[in-house]
Amino acid sequence: TAGITQAPTSQILAAGRSMTLRCTQDMRHNAMYWYRQDLGLGLRLIHYSNTAGTTGKGEVPDGYSVSRANTDDFPLTLASAVPSQTSVYFCASSGGASTGELFFGEGSRLTVL
Amino acid sequence: GQNIDQPTEMTATEGAIVQINCTYQTSGFNGLFWYQQHAGEAPTFLSYNVLDGLEEKGRFSSFLSRSKGYSYLLLKELQMKDSASYLCAVKDSNYQLIWGAGTKLIIKP
């Protein structure tokens, strides 16, 4: 079982360009999340989705948007990248917002120059 | 505000025991998680505590005291492969996870 797949694994992006990080899960989990991880800081929630068709803002949503058209896919879009968005991005899923542990994708390392 | 505190880095010897502490202040409590993260990899689930007491799982144990806002992860019989970061996270009243910055554990032979 693949679990959660993220793409790309790494990307260098010019400031001002747009970028979509893809995330697909095959566990039929209801809840999905996007986090960023920066050195010295805990994982910070960008956006989440408790079920297909719904999304919510996390702790650091500015500059990012998400959609949840179906259960399996949860893409994260940077409309106009800035250097402060240089980070490692993790997609995660769980059986429900109030239940169970998170399963993480392998991460996408994004560098904005 | 909500806050999770854990030591930045710890060093221990192969074969020994190490305890990684985590203190938290959150709006509500719906469980505490420990995750392991090797360098360059994704976090993986280790343990979950929602009631006070000790949960044992092989070489790893996790303890929770809700009244003290305190948890620890105990690793026994340390192996070199245990070198990793250990992340403490608490689910708040909205069922959102609040994460600590992680404790980098260095195992020396």
Side-chain angles (χ1 to χ4, degrees):
Chain A
T1 304
I4 297 186
T5 303
Q6 288 184 233
T9 303
S10 66
Q11 182 75 44
I12 298 174
L13 189 66
R17 300 297 294 268
S18 66
M19 175 76 194
T20 294
L21 303 180
R22 300 183 298 280
C23 176
T24 300
Q25 54 108 355
D26 62 3
M27 297 176 283
R28 307 303 294 172
H29 282 170
N30 283 322
M32 297 187 74
Y33 310 85
W34 274 106
Y35 287 95
R36 60 178 290 173
Q37 187 174 43
D38 302 289
L39 199 63
L41 299 177
L43 287 161
R44 292 185 291 169
L45 183 65
I46 303 170
H47 285 286
Y48 65 93
S49 169
N50 288 334
T51 190
T54 70
T55 62
K57 293 182 179 180
E59 180 186 355
V60 288
D62 293 344
Y64 306 94
S65 63
V66 291
S67 61
R68 188 85 183 279
N70 56 61
T71 297
D72 298 344
D73 301 301
F74 191 44
L76 176 74
T77 297
L78 290 68
S80 179
V82 295
S84 62
Q85 292 178 310
T86 293
S87 187
V88 179
Y89 292 85
F90 285 102
C91 181
S93 71
S94 70
S98 61
T99 62
E101 76 265 27
L102 296 186
F103 295 83
F104 285 86
E106 290 303 309
S108 296
R109 182 175 295 275
L110 181 65
T111 302
V112 182
L113 301 176
Chain B
Q2 307 201 90
N3 195 50
I4 309 286
D5 286 318
Q6 47 182 135
T8 302
E9 186 174 296
M10 299 181 69
T11 301
T13 304
E14 189 177 15
I17 299 173
V18 70
Q19 176 175 313
I20 302 174
N21 295 325
C22 171
T23 58
Y24 63 89
Q25 291 177 308
T26 56
S27 56
F29 179 85
N30 281 297
L32 185 144
F33 295 80
W34 284 96
Y35 283 78
Q36 181 190 59
Q37 185 177 25
H38 285 100
E41 298 182 8
T44 55
F45 170 77
L46 284 179
S47 68
Y48 171 67
N49 295 70
V50 66
L51 300 176
D52 290 352
L54 189 68
E55 294 281 341
E56 297 185 81
K57 190 185 295 185
R59 294 188 298 113
F60 293 6
S61 303
S62 56
F63 172 83
L64 174 66
S65 169
R66 289 172 296 171
S67 63
K68 295 182 179 178
Y70 168 71
S71 172
Y72 67 72
L73 180 69
L74 191 71
L75 291 74
K76 303 176 185 175
E77 301 169 15
L78 286 169
Q79 302 175 9
M80 297 303 293
K81 67 178 182 180
D82 297 330
S83 292
S85 289
Y86 292 85
L87 314 181
C88 175
V90 173
K91 268 195 179 177
D92 67 11
S93 57
N94 294 318
Y95 294 97
Q96 294 294 344
L97 273 173
I98 311 300
W99 294 83
T103 299
K104 182 178 181 180
L105 178 63
I106 300 168
I107 309 297
K108 295 186 174 180

mmCIF file with all atom_site columns, all heavy atoms in Angstrom, chain A residues 85-100:
data_model
loop_
_atom_site.group_PDB
_atom_site.id
_atom_site.type_symbol
_atom_site.label_atom_id
_atom_site.label_alt_id
_atom_site.label_comp_id
_atom_site.label_asym_id
_atom_site.label_entity_id
_atom_site.label_seq_id
_atom_site.pdbx_PDB_ins_code
_atom_site.Cartn_x
_atom_site.Cartn_y
_atom_site.Cartn_z
_atom_site.occupancy
_atom_site.B_iso_or_equiv
_atom_site.pdbx_formal_charge
_atom_site.auth_seq_id
_atom_site.auth_comp_id
_atom_site.auth_asym_id
_atom_site.auth_atom_id
_atom_site.pdbx_PDB_model_num
ATOM 1   N N   . GLN A 1 85  ? 8.606   31.213 2.162  1.00 0.00 ? 85  GLN A N   1
ATOM 2   C CA  . GLN A 1 85  ? 7.905   29.949 1.984  1.00 0.00 ? 85  GLN A CA  1
ATOM 3   C C   . GLN A 1 85  ? 8.871   28.797 1.704  1.00 0.00 ? 85  GLN A C   1
ATOM 4   O O   . GLN A 1 85  ? 8.434   27.659 1.496  1.00 0.00 ? 85  GLN A O   1
ATOM 5   C CB  . GLN A 1 85  ? 6.858   30.062 0.872  1.00 0.00 ? 85  GLN A CB  1
ATOM 6   C CG  . GLN A 1 85  ? 5.700   30.969 1.251  1.00 0.00 ? 85  GLN A CG  1
ATOM 7   C CD  . GLN A 1 85  ? 4.670   31.140 0.146  1.00 0.00 ? 85  GLN A CD  1
ATOM 8   O OE1 . GLN A 1 85  ? 5.029   31.450 -1.007 1.00 0.00 ? 85  GLN A OE1 1
ATOM 9   N NE2 . GLN A 1 85  ? 3.410   30.945 0.473  1.00 0.00 ? 85  GLN A NE2 1
ATOM 10  N N   . THR A 1 86  ? 10.158  29.065 1.737  1.00 0.00 ? 86  THR A N   1
ATOM 11  C CA  . THR A 1 86  ? 11.163  28.019 1.679  1.00 0.00 ? 86  THR A CA  1
ATOM 12  C C   . THR A 1 86  ? 11.015  27.160 2.923  1.00 0.00 ? 86  THR A C   1
ATOM 13  O O   . THR A 1 86  ? 11.108  27.654 4.049  1.00 0.00 ? 86  THR A O   1
ATOM 14  C CB  . THR A 1 86  ? 12.572  28.619 1.627  1.00 0.00 ? 86  THR A CB  1
ATOM 15  O OG1 . THR A 1 86  ? 12.727  29.310 0.385  1.00 0.00 ? 86  THR A OG1 1
ATOM 16  C CG2 . THR A 1 86  ? 13.631  27.532 1.749  1.00 0.00 ? 86  THR A CG2 1
ATOM 17  N N   . SER A 1 87  ? 10.759  25.863 2.732  1.00 0.00 ? 87  SER A N   1
ATOM 18  C CA  . SER A 1 87  ? 10.461  24.996 3.863  1.00 0.00 ? 87  SER A CA  1
ATOM 19  C C   . SER A 1 87  ? 10.340  23.561 3.359  1.00 0.00 ? 87  SER A C   1
ATOM 20  O O   . SER A 1 87  ? 10.428  23.283 2.165  1.00 0.00 ? 87  SER A O   1
ATOM 21  C CB  . SER A 1 87  ? 9.144   25.432 4.512  1.00 0.00 ? 87  SER A CB  1
ATOM 22  O OG  . SER A 1 87  ? 8.892   24.714 5.712  1.00 0.00 ? 87  SER A OG  1
ATOM 23  N N   . VAL A 1 88  ? 10.148  22.656 4.307  1.00 0.00 ? 88  VAL A N   1
ATOM 24  C CA  . VAL A 1 88  ? 9.758   21.289 3.975  1.00 0.00 ? 88  VAL A CA  1
ATOM 25  C C   . VAL A 1 88  ? 8.270   21.162 4.271  1.00 0.00 ? 88  VAL A C   1
ATOM 26  O O   . VAL A 1 88  ? 7.827   21.494 5.383  1.00 0.00 ? 88  VAL A O   1
ATOM 27  C CB  . VAL A 1 88  ? 10.561  20.250 4.776  1.00 0.00 ? 88  VAL A CB  1
ATOM 28  C CG1 . VAL A 1 88  ? 10.109  18.844 4.407  1.00 0.00 ? 88  VAL A CG1 1
ATOM 29  C CG2 . VAL A 1 88  ? 12.054  20.416 4.514  1.00 0.00 ? 88  VAL A CG2 1
ATOM 30  N N   . TYR A 1 89  ? 7.531   20.700 3.296  1.00 0.00 ? 89  TYR A N   1
ATOM 31  C CA  . TYR A 1 89  ? 6.081   20.594 3.420  1.00 0.00 ? 89  TYR A CA  1
ATOM 32  C C   . TYR A 1 89  ? 5.675   19.131 3.545  1.00 0.00 ? 89  TYR A C   1
ATOM 33  O O   . TYR A 1 89  ? 6.085   18.296 2.752  1.00 0.00 ? 89  TYR A O   1
ATOM 34  C CB  . TYR A 1 89  ? 5.403   21.219 2.199  1.00 0.00 ? 89  TYR A CB  1
ATOM 35  C CG  . TYR A 1 89  ? 5.589   22.715 2.140  1.00 0.00 ? 89  TYR A CG  1
ATOM 36  C CD1 . TYR A 1 89  ? 6.721   23.281 1.564  1.00 0.00 ? 89  TYR A CD1 1
ATOM 37  C CD2 . TYR A 1 89  ? 4.639   23.556 2.700  1.00 0.00 ? 89  TYR A CD2 1
ATOM 38  C CE1 . TYR A 1 89  ? 6.902   24.651 1.535  1.00 0.00 ? 89  TYR A CE1 1
ATOM 39  C CE2 . TYR A 1 89  ? 4.807   24.936 2.680  1.00 0.00 ? 89  TYR A CE2 1
ATOM 40  C CZ  . TYR A 1 89  ? 5.940   25.473 2.094  1.00 0.00 ? 89  TYR A CZ  1
ATOM 41  O OH  . TYR A 1 89  ? 6.113   26.838 2.080  1.00 0.00 ? 89  TYR A OH  1
ATOM 42  N N   . PHE A 1 90  ? 4.883   18.852 4.561  1.00 0.00 ? 90  PHE A N   1
ATOM 43  C CA  . PHE A 1 90  ? 4.386   17.501 4.775  1.00 0.00 ? 90  PHE A CA  1
ATOM 44  C C   . PHE A 1 90  ? 2.871   17.475 4.648  1.00 0.00 ? 90  PHE A C   1
ATOM 45  O O   . PHE A 1 90  ? 2.167   18.284 5.260  1.00 0.00 ? 90  PHE A O   1
ATOM 46  C CB  . PHE A 1 90  ? 4.763   16.992 6.171  1.00 0.00 ? 90  PHE A CB  1
ATOM 47  C CG  . PHE A 1 90  ? 6.199   16.609 6.321  1.00 0.00 ? 90  PHE A CG  1
ATOM 48  C CD1 . PHE A 1 90  ? 7.086   17.468 6.957  1.00 0.00 ? 90  PHE A CD1 1
ATOM 49  C CD2 . PHE A 1 90  ? 6.668   15.399 5.842  1.00 0.00 ? 90  PHE A CD2 1
ATOM 50  C CE1 . PHE A 1 90  ? 8.418   17.125 7.102  1.00 0.00 ? 90  PHE A CE1 1
ATOM 51  C CE2 . PHE A 1 90  ? 8.000   15.034 5.978  1.00 0.00 ? 90  PHE A CE2 1
ATOM 52  C CZ  . PHE A 1 90  ? 8.876   15.915 6.606  1.00 0.00 ? 90  PHE A CZ  1
ATOM 53  N N   . CYS A 1 91  ? 2.397   16.520 3.888  1.00 0.00 ? 91  CYS A N   1
ATOM 54  C CA  . CYS A 1 91  ? 0.981   16.209 3.822  1.00 0.00 ? 91  CYS A CA  1
ATOM 55  C C   . CYS A 1 91  ? 0.724   15.038 4.771  1.00 0.00 ? 91  CYS A C   1
ATOM 56  O O   . CYS A 1 91  ? 1.576   14.151 4.915  1.00 0.00 ? 91  CYS A O   1
ATOM 57  C CB  . CYS A 1 91  ? 0.594   15.826 2.396  1.00 0.00 ? 91  CYS A CB  1
ATOM 58  S SG  . CYS A 1 91  ? -1.147  15.432 2.157  1.00 0.00 ? 91  CYS A SG  1
ATOM 59  N N   . ALA A 1 92  ? -0.411  15.046 5.433  1.00 0.00 ? 92  ALA A N   1
ATOM 60  C CA  . ALA A 1 92  ? -0.744  13.979 6.371  1.00 0.00 ? 92  ALA A CA  1
ATOM 61  C C   . ALA A 1 92  ? -2.231  13.676 6.299  1.00 0.00 ? 92  ALA A C   1
ATOM 62  O O   . ALA A 1 92  ? -3.021  14.491 5.828  1.00 0.00 ? 92  ALA A O   1
ATOM 63  C CB  . ALA A 1 92  ? -0.356  14.374 7.795  1.00 0.00 ? 92  ALA A CB  1
ATOM 64  N N   . SER A 1 93  ? -2.597  12.493 6.789  1.00 0.00 ? 93  SER A N   1
ATOM 65  C CA  . SER A 1 93  ? -4.007  12.131 6.828  1.00 0.00 ? 93  SER A CA  1
ATOM 66  C C   . SER A 1 93  ? -4.294  11.360 8.104  1.00 0.00 ? 93  SER A C   1
ATOM 67  O O   . SER A 1 93  ? -3.396  10.809 8.740  1.00 0.00 ? 93  SER A O   1
ATOM 68  C CB  . SER A 1 93  ? -4.388  11.289 5.604  1.00 0.00 ? 93  SER A CB  1
ATOM 69  O OG  . SER A 1 93  ? -3.836  9.998  5.689  1.00 0.00 ? 93  SER A OG  1
ATOM 70  N N   . SER A 1 94  ? -5.560  11.339 8.480  1.00 0.00 ? 94  SER A N   1
ATOM 71  C CA  . SER A 1 94  ? -6.004  10.528 9.611  1.00 0.00 ? 94  SER A CA  1
ATOM 72  C C   . SER A 1 94  ? -7.425  10.072 9.346  1.00 0.00 ? 94  SER A C   1
ATOM 73  O O   . SER A 1 94  ? -8.134  10.644 8.511  1.00 0.00 ? 94  SER A O   1
ATOM 74  C CB  . SER A 1 94  ? -5.922  11.298 10.930 1.00 0.00 ? 94  SER A CB  1
ATOM 75  O OG  . SER A 1 94  ? -6.895  12.324 10.965 1.00 0.00 ? 94  SER A OG  1
ATOM 76  N N   . GLY A 1 95  ? -7.845  9.059  10.090 1.00 0.00 ? 95  GLY A N   1
ATOM 77  C CA  . GLY A 1 95  ? -9.172  8.507  9.876  1.00 0.00 ? 95  GLY A CA  1
ATOM 78  C C   . GLY A 1 95  ? -10.282 9.508  10.122 1.00 0.00 ? 95  GLY A C   1
ATOM 79  O O   . GLY A 1 95  ? -11.339 9.448  9.520  1.00 0.00 ? 95  GLY A O   1
ATOM 80  N N   . GLY A 1 96  ? -10.023 10.437 11.054 1.00 0.00 ? 96  GLY A N   1
ATOM 81  C CA  . GLY A 1 96  ? -10.998 11.477 11.338 1.00 0.00 ? 96  GLY A CA  1
ATOM 82  C C   . GLY A 1 96  ? -10.333 12.570 12.123 1.00 0.00 ? 96  GLY A C   1
ATOM 83  O O   . GLY A 1 96  ? -9.263  12.384 12.684 1.00 0.00 ? 96  GLY A O   1
ATOM 84  N N   . ALA A 1 97  ? -10.949 13.751 12.177 1.00 0.00 ? 97  ALA A N   1
ATOM 85  C CA  . ALA A 1 97  ? -10.348 14.885 12.876 1.00 0.00 ? 97  ALA A CA  1
ATOM 86  C C   . ALA A 1 97  ? -10.137 14.592 14.352 1.00 0.00 ? 97  ALA A C   1
ATOM 87  O O   . ALA A 1 97  ? -9.194  15.062 14.960 1.00 0.00 ? 97  ALA A O   1
ATOM 88  C CB  . ALA A 1 97  ? -11.237 16.113 12.705 1.00 0.00 ? 97  ALA A CB  1
ATOM 89  N N   . SER A 1 98  ? -11.013 13.776 14.942 1.00 0.00 ? 98  SER A N   1
ATOM 90  C CA  . SER A 1 98  ? -10.913 13.547 16.373 1.00 0.00 ? 98  SER A CA  1
ATOM 91  C C   . SER A 1 98  ? -10.334 12.189 16.711 1.00 0.00 ? 98  SER A C   1
ATOM 92  O O   . SER A 1 98  ? -10.281 11.807 17.871 1.00 0.00 ? 98  SER A O   1
ATOM 93  C CB  . SER A 1 98  ? -12.304 13.683 17.004 1.00 0.00 ? 98  SER A CB  1
ATOM 94  O OG  . SER A 1 98  ? -13.184 12.726 16.449 1.00 0.00 ? 98  SER A OG  1
ATOM 95  N N   . THR A 1 99  ? -9.919  11.439 15.716 1.00 0.00 ? 99  THR A N   1
ATOM 96  C CA  . THR A 1 99  ? -9.491  10.068 15.981 1.00 0.00 ? 99  THR A CA  1
ATOM 97  C C   . THR A 1 99  ? -8.131  9.783  15.373 1.00 0.00 ? 99  THR A C   1
ATOM 98  O O   . THR A 1 99  ? -7.775  10.313 14.336 1.00 0.00 ? 99  THR A O   1
ATOM 99  C CB  . THR A 1 99  ? -10.491 9.058  15.387 1.00 0.00 ? 99  THR A CB  1
ATOM 100 O OG1 . THR A 1 99  ? -10.529 9.220  13.977 1.00 0.00 ? 99  THR A OG1 1
ATOM 101 C CG2 . THR A 1 99  ? -11.867 9.263  15.974 1.00 0.00 ? 99  THR A CG2 1
ATOM 102 N N   . GLY A 1 100 ? -7.396  8.966  16.043 1.00 0.00 ? 100 GLY A N   1
ATOM 103 C CA  . GLY A 1 100 ? -6.251  8.303  15.445 1.00 0.00 ? 100 GLY A CA  1
ATOM 104 C C   . GLY A 1 100 ? -5.043  9.167  15.183 1.00 0.00 ? 100 GLY A C   1
ATOM 105 O O   . GLY A 1 100 ? -5.069  10.390 15.280 1.00 0.00 ? 100 GLY A O   1
#
